[in-house]
């Protein structure tokens, strides 16, 4: 249920893109807010919790593997997209998967380990999905994709991300602390590369000089929720 709620923002973003046009500035500010929330989640929900539960070595190994895996997969997606406009929809969907799967695996792992949802991580995932889905859906519609195709693509992505939450819960429930910490480190590494290579530059480009302030607000909110929960 929590995984479906987090992933539902992908479909919400697609629907919002269908209903109206969103300015680049608005999308950029939401991207900045989501980036700040994810930075807090990486710091407090992934790295800190991982080190506390399984040790720094496991988290460090996971960080390196996650960063490398995301960088290689992202390069493959960009190469596929460069082949032509006709392939535009699939790389966008795959890019969302690259972001979403590690996030939601950790969300499910946290549920299995602690028995309760991380509100901070849930908010970070939900908010960060929105601008990605809105912007990507708008691009697909502009390139001639039908509304049914756009909604179908994001529906598939949302379902896979939801299943990743269940997979994370099962993996953590049957894994030793070191493996759990490695999974958290892997997700943190993947998300950090995504933030620096994609999300933060896009937020600055579209949101302008207010993008940094929006990022701080997102970080403060998610950090506060982490402390409260």
């Amino acid at each position: 249920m929590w995984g479906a709620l987090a992933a539902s923002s992908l479909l919400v973003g697609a629907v919002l893109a269908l209903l109206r046009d969103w300015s680049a500035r608005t999308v950029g500010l939401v991207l900045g807010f989501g980036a700040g929330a994810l930075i807090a989640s990486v710091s407090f929900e992934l790295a800190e919790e991982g080190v506390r539960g399984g040790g720094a070595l496991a988290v460090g190994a996971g960080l390196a593997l996650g960063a490398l895996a995301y960088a290689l997969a992202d390069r493959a997606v960009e190469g596929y997209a460069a082949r032509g406009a006709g392939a535009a929809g699939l790389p966008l969907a795959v890019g969302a998967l690259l972001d979403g799967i590690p996030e939601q695996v950790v969300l499910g792992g946290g549920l299995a380990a602690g028995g309760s949802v991380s509100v901070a991580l849930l908010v970070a995932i939900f908010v960060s999905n929105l601008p990605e889905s809105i912007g990507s859906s708008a691009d697909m519609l502009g390139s001639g994709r039908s509304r049914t195709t756009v909604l179908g693509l994001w529906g598939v992505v949302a379902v896979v991300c939801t299943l990743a939450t269940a997979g994370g819960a099962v993996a953590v429930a049957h894994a030793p602390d070191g493996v759990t910490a490695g999974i958290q480190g892997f997700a943190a590494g993947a998300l950090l590369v995504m933030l620096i290579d994609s999300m933060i530059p896009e937020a600055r480009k579209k949101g302008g000089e207010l993008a940094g302030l929006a990022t701080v607000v997102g970080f403060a909110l998610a950090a506060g929720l982490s402390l409260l929960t």
Side-chain angles (χ1 to χ4, degrees):
M1 181 187 71
W2 290 115
L5 177 60
S8 68
S9 57
L10 292 167
L11 275 176
V12 170
V15 171
L16 290 174
L18 295 176
L19 293 177
R20 56 163 292 183
D21 293 330
W22 296 87
S23 69
R25 188 176 183 84
T26 299
V27 173
L29 293 177
V30 178
L31 272 172
F33 183 90
L38 282 177
I39 292 170
S41 294
V42 167
S43 302
F44 302 115
E45 304 293 332
L46 300 181
E48 183 180 17
E49 289 296 323
V51 170
R52 183 182 300 158
L57 182 60
V59 172
L63 275 168
L65 291 174
L68 181 61
Y70 184 91
L72 292 176
D74 190 52
R75 179 175 296 182
V77 170
E78 289 179 357
Y80 188 86
R83 296 180 186 177
L90 183 58
L92 291 170
V94 173
L97 283 174
L98 293 178
D99 301 345
I101 288 177
E103 297 169 343
Q104 303 226 178
V105 164
V106 171
L107 181 66
L111 285 167
S116 60
V117 67
S118 166
V119 177
L121 184 58
L122 183 65
V123 170
I125 294 173
F126 192 94
V127 173
S128 64
N129 282 341
L130 283 174
E132 180 177 34
S133 180
I134 291 172
S136 298
S137 298
D139 288 345
M140 284 191 281
L141 290 169
S143 68
R145 298 275 180 175
S146 69
R147 295 186 170 208
T148 302
T149 299
V150 171
L151 288 175
L153 278 171
W154 289 112
V156 170
V157 173
V159 169
V160 173
C161 288
T162 300
L163 294 176
T165 307
V170 172
V172 170
H174 297 87
D177 290 342
V179 174
T180 300
I183 292 173
Q184 290 173 313
F186 185 94
L191 289 176
L192 283 173
V193 174
M194 181 275 293
L195 283 165
I196 298 302
D197 285 356
S198 176
M199 198 168 183
I200 291 175
E202 194 71 10
R204 173 61 184 173
K205 177 182 176 182
K206 293 183 175 180
E209 68 280 358
L210 293 178
L213 291 176
T215 303
V216 172
V217 172
F219 180 90
L221 175 63
L225 290 173
S226 293
L227 294 174
L228 289 175
T229 55

